[in-house]
Amino acid sequence: MKNNPFTHEEINLMSIYNADGTREGLIAALTEMRGYLDAEEAELRELTDSALSKLRAMSDAEFAELELYPDFDE
């Protein structure tokens, strides 16, 4: 995968929830976390939905090429 489809914010979010290192595991973790969000957290919900949509559209091989390391300095 030559182009990383994820935003800086999505990468940071995914790196936090990428406990088992698999695409399916990350999708499950983000989906679970999303269930705990309330109405005031609309921005985080939108960010999570965007990341989930992109994760579901990619293959495991494409996911394996991602570098999921948080970068909170940008």
Side-chain angles (χ1 to χ4, degrees):
M1 185 169 73
K2 302 241 186 317
N3 297 333
N4 181 342
F6 297 97
T7 67
H8 179 77
E9 291 79 13
E10 289 168 341
I11 291 290
N12 282 339
L13 177 70
M14 294 187 307
S15 67
I16 293 167
Y17 287 91
N18 189 29
D20 74 354
T22 68
R23 186 177 65 90
E24 289 298 323
L26 180 54
I27 289 171
L30 288 174
T31 300
E32 179 180 353
M33 175 274 290
R34 189 191 184 287
Y36 294 105
L37 298 178
D38 59 32
E40 291 83 38
E41 296 170 303
E43 189 175 326
L44 181 55
R45 182 179 298 115
E46 289 174 15
L47 181 66
T48 303
D49 288 347
S50 176
L52 282 168
S53 175
K54 294 172 186 178
L55 284 167
R56 290 180 177 126
M58 69 181 358
S59 69
D60 289 335
E62 289 171 324
F63 177 78
E65 292 180 25
L66 291 177
E67 293 186 14
L68 294 179
Y69 303 105
D71 178 9
F72 300 112
D73 294 332
E74 191 169 294

